[in-house]
Amino acid sequence: MNEAVRVYAPATVANLGPGFDILGMAVTEPGDIVTASFADQPGTFITRITGDGGRLPLDATLNTAGVAANHVRRQLAPHLGINLEIDKGLPLASGLGSSAASAVAAATAVNLLLGAPLTPMELLPATLEAEAAVSGRHADNVAPALLGGIVLVTGATASNLHPIPVGPNIASLNITLITPNVAVPTAEARSVLPHLVPFPTVVHQIKAVGQLVHALHSDDIDLFTSAMMQDAIVELARKHLIPHFEAARDAALGMGGLAAVISGAGPTLCVLTRSHAAANHIGETLCNAYAAQSINAVFRVVNISQQGAAQLP
Amino acid sequence: MNEAVRVYAPATVANLGPGFDILGMAVTEPGDIVTASFADQPGTFITRITGDGGRLPLDATLNTAGVAANHVRRQLAPHLGINLEIDKGLPLASGLGSSAASAVAAATAVNLLLGAPLTPMELLPATLEAEAAVSGRHADNVAPALLGGIVLVTGATASNLHPIPVGPNIASLNITLITPNVAVPTAEARSVLPHLVPFPTVVHQIKAVGQLVHALHSDDIDLFTSAMMQDAIVELARKHLIPHFEAARDAALGMGGLAAVISGAGPTLCVLTRSHAAANHIGETLCNAYAAQSINAVFRVVNISQQGAAQLP
């Protein structure tokens, strides 16, 4: 057995436009790092958290990393004790799957510490239990954080996780993630969703989702990015939660952005481009524009991560 | 130039469960045959219709074959005259794309008669104009009748037709089409659709559509047939239009049917099976059950047609 295991789990962009609750994509950065080691007494303990500005609970029953790690520990070695150190690379409540990344990194680290008897798919229950503790039992972030790539999620069990192959064209896309420093709690982002949807809008949405999944399988960038822009339900309901969303989106599309959507529940804006220079230019321009409105914002230019959570040296 | 051209266009099964208005599948049988030849005077003329029980209009402006043929004639050779003979293999108003098959066969026959300057994709406008004349401007039947296979339809132009590759597993499925002799006019079938859909049902439906398209691309029979059974909107609204629908569906599923859905607007029931014997057994049993209720019904066991409209010798 190892003395300590460090695991990196990636941020994830859920929805991809019209794919509400069903599509999630792992990106290369940012990510959370969780280090698991053996404790002297049975149980799961969080010994340190960095990068969270002191906002996350050290109580392992209230922290997604702690819940996920404890689930795996109980399953594999209930008599053992686990210490966790969490290094938050992800901003909290940013729409990048922060809670999922911590849960996935922790579950993976404990599994590896205990000799890796479980597959990534088999870590789904632990990570879903952790998600349920903070934001609802949804696998659209944990699944790509576990498995990498783009995952179609049709339910809350392993048989409902369907990795979609990412072809070379779509893998070549540059992704600019622009995160303004405003809080959009997941619960509020869910509360603004409509209760009833007009039937023609439903038909529009299923067309868009069909196109989205077909485009991914066809490795067709134009079809993919045009499908991403066709969400007619969720973005409309949520965009007022993100300051200057429409202006930012339109500016991004005017600077070479092929698609610009809210990542998860926001406020991160996810922009796809063919050119790395355009991706950087979009990030800089939008961060400057936010700054001019007295809103701090950060950006990263990343790629799709074909790899999910993985051990670090 | 040819003296006369005979073209067969296949029946099509639209929707495939949750894919309302966006998915259509060509089947090997039944089909319509249209024969096009030159007339002595400019214009498009229907000289004979067989197989329709005298129900279809000989006036070319009121008949989908006539409308589609005339569109192609006007486009390619407005000074010429075309005679059409229509042999209806498809039952009318059965949910099998009867108007689309006639339109596609006629447009294809005229194009071939005139030296085939247009591709099947380029015949879309003519066939859509014909559909619009009788049942609305929808391409979910004409697209697979033109192109064969399974087509994702996201709009009314050629760039919105996306053929989905049909792999060997899904191509091996047997399809039982059971058509009870009751009329379900397309207009009525559309009028019963809901005006508003609860948001959770929308999410369920986009999951189902995502799974359906993913399953087709993955050539996964289990995933495909389970997705087909997850329509939560359209079947619910329409099933009362088809006598004994639920009993028929459940009986089919009990006899080896992997999925059983309404074809198009009905009343044809489309059942998928792995075994040809089961497919026949389902057809016979359901037709007998309909007969016991004093409803005539016919069945056919067919396959997916990888080929769209094609010239006959």
Side-chain angles (χ1 to χ4, degrees):
Chain A
M1 286 193 189
N2 297 293
E3 300 255 313
V5 172
R6 288 175 78 216
V7 167
Y8 177 87
T12 46
V13 174
N15 299 355
L16 303 181
F20 180 75
D21 259 10
I22 67 166
L23 279 168
M25 170 174 82
V27 292
T28 46
E29 293 176 70
D32 284 356
I33 297 171
V34 172
T35 306
S37 58
F38 290 107
D40 295 334
Q41 51 185 321
T44 300
F45 310 96
I46 299 174
T47 57
R48 199 161 70 110
I49 307 178
T50 58
D52 69 328
R55 290 164 66 193
L56 289 176
L58 281 161
D59 181 339
T61 65
L62 301 176
N63 181 303
T64 59
V67 173
N70 199 45
H71 186 112
V72 177
R73 184 194 67 83
R74 273 189 283 116
Q75 184 178 352
L76 298 178
H79 57 291
L80 292 182
I82 304 284
N83 285 331
L84 301 176
E85 284 187 30
I86 305 168
D87 181 5
K88 286 297 296 180
L90 269 74
L92 308 186
S94 60
L96 289 168
S98 173
S99 60
S102 288
V104 165
T108 305
V110 174
N111 182 46
L112 289 170
L113 185 71
L114 298 174
L118 302 178
T119 64
M121 276 284 193
E122 288 169 340
L123 295 173
L124 180 67
T127 57
L128 272 180
E129 186 188 331
E131 279 287 68
V134 295
S135 67
R137 201 170 181 78
H138 298 284
D140 49 348
N141 289 109
V142 293
L146 277 168
L147 306 173
I150 296 176
V151 183
L152 172 71
V153 175
T154 58
T157 61
S159 67
N160 296 119
L161 306 189
H162 311 290
I164 300 183
V166 178
N169 293 323
I170 287 174
S172 75
L173 287 167
N174 297 283
I175 303 167
T176 311
L177 302 173
I178 303 104
T179 307
N181 187 22
V182 295
V184 180
T186 302
E188 185 175 348
R190 291 210 169 239
S191 74
V192 299
L193 296 172
H195 295 283
L196 293 167
V197 181
F199 186 76
T201 307
V202 177
V203 175
H204 175 94
Q205 198 81 359
I206 68 172
K207 270 183 192 159
V209 167
Q211 181 179 331
L212 191 59
V213 175
H214 174 70
L216 287 168
H217 275 283
S218 308
D219 197 21
D220 184 326
I221 289 176
D222 292 337
L223 211 55
F224 173 50
T225 52
S226 95
M228 283 180 72
M229 294 303 293
Q230 288 172 44
D231 170 26
I233 301 176
V234 175
E235 185 179 284
L236 201 67
R238 285 180 168 174
K239 63 186 179 186
H240 69 281
L241 298 175
I242 301 167
H244 311 292
F245 169 73
E246 286 180 305
R249 177 196 62 198
D250 294 349
L253 296 177
M255 289 182 283
L258 305 173
V261 296
I262 303 171
S263 178
T268 297
L269 184 70
C270 169
V271 183
L272 303 188
T273 50
R274 288 179 198 270
S275 138
H276 193 267
N280 268 305
H281 180 59
I282 288 168
E284 283 167 12
T285 306
L286 294 189
C287 284
N288 289 340
Y290 272 118
Q293 303 286 339
S294 305
I295 297 171
N296 278 326
V298 295
F299 80 94
R300 289 179 183 82
V301 175
V302 301
N303 294 105
I304 298 174
S305 175
Q306 302 266 17
Q307 180 173 269
Q311 187 168 6
L312 296 177
Chain B
M1 286 193 190
N2 296 293
E3 299 255 313
V5 172
R6 288 175 77 216
V7 167
Y8 177 88
T12 46
V13 174
N15 299 355
L16 302 181
F20 180 74
D21 259 10
I22 67 165
L23 280 169
M25 171 175 82
V27 292
T28 47
E29 295 176 69
D32 284 355
I33 298 172
V34 172
T35 305
S37 57
F38 290 107
D40 294 335
Q41 51 186 320
T44 299
F45 310 96
I46 299 175
T47 56
R48 200 161 70 110
I49 306 179
T50 58
D52 69 328
R55 290 164 66 193
L56 289 176
L58 281 161
D59 181 340
T61 65
L62 301 176
N63 182 302
T64 58
V67 172
N70 199 47
H71 186 113
V72 177
R73 184 193 67 82
R74 274 190 282 116
Q75 185 178 351
L76 297 179
H79 56 293
L80 292 182
I82 304 284
N83 285 330
L84 300 176
E85 285 188 29
I86 305 168
D87 181 5
K88 286 298 295 181
L90 268 75
L92 307 185
S94 60
L96 289 168
S98 174
S99 59
S102 288
V104 165
T108 306
V110 174
N111 182 45
L112 290 170
L113 185 70
L114 298 174
L118 302 178
T119 63
M121 276 284 193
E122 289 169 338
L123 295 173
L124 180 67
T127 58
L128 272 180
E129 185 187 331
E131 280 287 69
V134 296
S135 67
R137 200 169 180 79
H138 297 284
D140 50 347
N141 289 109
V142 294
L146 276 168
L147 306 174
I150 296 176
V151 183
L152 173 70
V153 175
T154 57
T157 61
S159 67
N160 296 119
L161 306 190
H162 312 288
I164 300 182
V166 177
N169 294 323
I170 287 173
S172 75
L173 286 167
N174 298 282
I175 302 167
T176 311
L177 301 173
I178 303 104
T179 307
N181 186 22
V182 294
V184 180
T186 302
E188 185 176 348
R190 292 213 169 238
S191 74
V192 299
L193 296 172
H195 295 285
L196 293 167
V197 180
F199 186 76
T201 306
V202 177
V203 175
H204 175 94
Q205 196 81 358
I206 68 172
K207 270 184 192 160
V209 166
Q211 182 179 331
L212 192 58
V213 174
H214 174 70
L216 287 168
H217 275 282
S218 309
D219 197 22
D220 184 325
I221 289 177
D222 291 338
L223 211 55
F224 173 50
T225 53
S226 95
M228 284 180 71
M229 295 303 294
Q230 288 172 45
D231 171 25
I233 301 176
V234 175
E235 185 179 285
L236 200 68
R238 286 180 167 173
K239 61 186 179 185
H240 69 281
L241 298 175
I242 301 166
H244 312 292
F245 169 73
E246 286 180 305
R249 177 196 61 197
D250 294 348
L253 297 176
M255 290 182 283
L258 304 173
V261 295
I262 303 172
S263 177
T268 296
L269 185 70
C270 170
V271 183
L272 304 188
T273 50
R274 288 179 198 271
S275 137
H276 194 266
N280 269 304
H281 180 60
I282 288 167
E284 283 167 10
T285 305
L286 293 189
C287 284
N288 289 338
Y290 272 118
Q293 303 286 339
S294 305
I295 298 171
N296 277 325
V298 296
F299 80 95
R300 288 178 183 83
V301 175
V302 301
N303 294 104
I304 298 173
S305 175
Q306 302 266 17
Q307 179 174 271
Q311 187 168 7
L312 296 177

